Amino acid sequence: MAYISSGVACSHVPALGVASDTGISDDDYYGPIFKGFEPSKKWMADEKPDVIFLVYNDHCTAFDATVIPTFALGCATEYQPADEGWGPRPVPVVKGHQELSAHIAQSLVLDMFDITVINQMEVDHGLTVPLTMMFGQPDEWPCPVVPLAVNVVQYPAPLGQRCFALGKAIRTAIESYPEDLKICVFGTGGMSHQLQHQRAGLINSEWDARFMDLLVNDPDKGSQIEHIEYLREAGSEGIELVMWYVMRGALNEKVEEKHRFYHVPASNTAVGHLILENR
Ligand code: DHB
Ligand code: FE
């Protein structure tokens, strides 16, 4: 049967994708950030998942204001990198796993999580930057990806509690898939950041550290963080962090924290990153 071996939490700062694509990832500004992911790349080379289940958010790229699915499961055979204004990132096409996606879609809906099925979708920095941070610049991504897009861009975003419960339902779905597949779940986005208006540039490192501690060690409590706290403490884009709770819900109650990295600044935000293994 398929099983979940590990979880990865990772910010998706678009400037990191640009730094990697343009060969400046070892300069004075970006070097320390990419260095923090060196142990992760080594870990990933040993981990070798068969499939990545990647929870991310679209930034008005695949979806605009005409359609705003709260939870959208990618069920395509492949996902093209999107043009986000400067042309598509020069990264490989993201191959899907259609059979596993279809199974998860059925399992979730029968489990009363009425997700939206997406059969065609381009993917933006929310999905491609975490892949770059974990795999560098390969000719092909090393395994298929099943994407789950969560709306955290347009009010109302889902609650952390709902994301946590969805993660548990995703685990049930994966563990009922008959093929022996080792699956790594990515929760992406964050950390504290605000991109507009008077508090643009807000970073709250103390809160970010507490967020990571709760996520790892007391996710029942952490998943109850309210929208208003994300907004007040982590800025208007800090709400992206609810997606980490989908990943956390898919893991065991107790996990082993294999690696933690936190760095300020990266563009307008703090880069946060965790590797968690199921015990
Ligand atoms: C930045 C961060 C994001 O999460 C994003 O989607 C776009 C930009 C930034 O820090 O620049
Ligand atoms: Fe974002």
Side-chain angles (χ1 to χ4, degrees):
M1 302 296 275
Y3 69 103
I4 296 171
S5 58
S6 56
V8 169
C10 184
S11 301
H12 64 216
V13 189
L16 298 181
V18 177
S20 175
D21 299 343
T22 57
I24 56 166
S25 56
D26 58 357
D27 74 5
D28 288 349
Y29 185 86
Y30 292 107
I33 303 171
F34 282 83
K35 215 161 176 212
F37 283 82
E38 282 306 320
S40 314
K41 286 191 188 144
K42 288 200 186 87
W43 173 86
M44 189 52 106
D46 291 337
E47 179 72 1
K48 288 196 190 66
D50 297 309
V51 180
I52 290 170
F53 187 95
L54 198 152
V55 185
Y56 80 109
N57 72 287
D58 178 76
H59 299 76
C60 300
T61 307
F63 312 120
D64 60 20
T66 50
V67 179
I68 305 164
T70 302
F71 297 116
L73 184 71
C75 294
T77 52
E78 60 177 42
Y79 310 90
Q80 293 292 339
D83 183 342
E84 298 181 61
W86 309 96
R89 285 192 62 208
V91 293
V93 60
V94 177
K95 298 269 167 59
H97 193 306
Q98 210 170 28
E99 234 177 86
L100 178 62
S101 285
H103 171 83
I104 294 172
Q106 167 168 287
S107 178
L108 288 178
V109 173
L110 297 183
D111 211 0
M112 296 194 278
F113 277 93
D114 307 320
I115 45 94
T116 302
V117 168
I118 305 289
N119 290 321
Q120 193 182 340
M121 175 166 80
E122 293 185 338
V123 289
D124 70 10
H125 66 273
L127 185 141
T128 62
V129 168
L131 289 181
T132 297
M133 300 314 287
M134 295 303 290
F135 296 111
Q137 290 275 351
D139 292 334
E140 273 182 29
W141 300 118
C143 67
V145 174
V146 172
L148 177 80
V150 178
N151 168 45
V152 288
V153 165
Q154 184 79 22
Y155 187 85
L159 294 173
Q161 278 161 296
R162 187 67 174 156
C163 290
F164 193 46
L166 175 59
K168 292 180 186 195
I170 289 165
R171 177 184 183 153
T172 303
I174 286 173
E175 290 180 347
S176 60
Y177 188 69
E179 197 183 330
D180 286 335
L181 292 177
K182 180 182 189 182
I183 297 182
C184 175
V185 181
F186 279 35
T188 66
M191 296 209 68
S192 55
H193 62 308
Q194 172 147 343
L195 301 178
Q196 61 267 311
H197 206 49
Q198 286 167 354
R199 297 204 305 164
L202 174 145
I203 289 172
N204 185 344
S205 299
E206 244 172 72
W207 189 89
D208 287 339
R210 184 173 154 268
F211 176 87
M212 288 202 266
D213 290 342
L214 279 176
L215 181 98
V216 176
N217 301 312
D218 195 355
D220 278 316
K221 183 171 173 195
S223 65
Q224 290 170 42
I225 295 170
E226 294 179 356
H227 280 168
I228 193 71
E229 180 175 333
Y230 282 106
L231 186 63
R232 190 181 57 229
E233 301 296 334
S236 52
E237 275 66 52
I239 191 64
E240 288 182 346
L241 285 166
V242 293
M243 296 186 292
W244 291 26
Y245 271 97
V246 181
M247 176 273 287
R248 187 64 184 89
L251 300 181
N252 289 350
E253 219 171 291
K254 290 253 180 290
V255 289
E256 193 175 335
E257 183 179 320
K258 300 296 280 188
H259 180 54
R260 182 187 292 212
F261 177 64
Y262 183 81
H263 179 91
V264 174
S267 188
N268 300 290
T269 178
V271 168
H273 171 48
L274 290 167
I275 292 179
L276 306 176
E277 281 185 5
N278 262 344
R279 274 211 176 119

